[in-house]
Amino acid sequence: MSKNYWLIKSEEACYSIDDMKSDKKTAWSGIRNHQVKNCILKEIKIGDLALFYHSNGKPSGAVGVVKVTSRPYPDPTQFDRKDEHFDPKACKEKPIWYVVDMKYVSKFKRAVLLPEIKNDPKLKGIMVAEKGNMLSVQPVSFAHFEHIVYLGKS
């Protein structure tokens, strides 16, 4: 079975690569976008790798690598009335939102910043560089993944 590659976004102030490193593993919860939900349910697999990307930063950029370690399961935050991601339409018998567990792999020596990603010809066509792209989980080609890892480690 072939491996897929992803870019997952998190605002640094909400959940950073350092939080991920400290936790070692986390449920990638709080996603409330049907396109991303479909990716989680149909495409993301155990063993897939993802670039961890700090979004809405000044500047934003890829900062590390994480690995998918579980199959999709219902996001518990959708049922928790006290959680900011509570969804009153969701019920345990018919969940709407799903998560996968992510495990920390590595933190880059340096962030690969969005302007650099946008201007690198080897990263032409990468989704995160597209204007208006807001998806918190998005596919990345193996070539793009490898190049960003190379840049982050150099």
Side-chain angles (χ1 to χ4, degrees):
M1 195 183 305
S2 66
K3 187 182 294 189
N4 294 319
Y5 297 89
W6 306 93
L7 182 144
I8 61 170
K9 293 180 181 177
S10 179
E11 292 184 21
E12 187 174 8
C14 293
Y15 194 80
S16 71
I17 189 71
D18 292 326
D19 295 325
M20 184 74 178
K21 184 177 182 179
S22 174
D23 293 346
K24 295 181 182 50
K25 182 177 128 179
T26 193
W28 204 251
S29 64
I31 293 166
R32 298 298 182 262
N33 175 289
H34 288 285
Q35 190 175 347
V36 173
K37 175 183 86 170
N38 290 336
C39 264
I40 289 172
L41 288 173
K42 298 175 182 174
E43 298 176 50
I44 293 179
K45 302 181 305 287
I46 294 172
D48 285 357
L49 294 174
L51 297 166
F52 195 108
Y53 184 91
H54 285 162
S55 62
N56 295 330
K58 295 196 187 322
S60 299
V63 294
V65 175
V66 296
K67 184 177 192 173
V68 178
T69 60
S70 77
R71 297 172 66 96
Y73 60 92
D75 183 343
T77 66
Q78 69 190 311
F79 311 121
D80 183 352
R81 291 184 181 281
K82 294 177 185 155
D83 193 281
E84 68 179 299
H85 298 108
F86 171 70
D87 188 334
K89 292 179 244 147
C91 63
K92 291 191 179 181
E93 298 76 31
K94 215 172 172 188
I96 299 171
W97 307 108
Y98 290 81
V99 301
V100 289
D101 291 336
M102 298 282 191
K103 177 179 131 183
Y104 173 83
V105 174
S106 65
K107 180 178 176 179
F108 294 158
K109 284 184 181 176
R110 69 172 189 91
V112 182
L113 304 177
L114 184 58
E116 182 180 1
I117 292 170
K118 285 182 174 182
N119 293 316
D120 190 324
K122 289 185 177 179
L123 297 172
K124 184 175 170 61
I126 192 167
M127 209 179 218
V128 73
E130 293 175 5
K131 191 173 184 90
N133 182 311
M134 302 295 288
L135 293 179
S136 59
V137 176
Q138 50 194 259
V140 174
S141 73
F142 174 72
H144 288 162
F145 179 87
E146 285 287 298
H147 188 61
I148 289 176
V149 169
Y150 168 78
L151 293 172
K153 289 184 175 183
S154 61

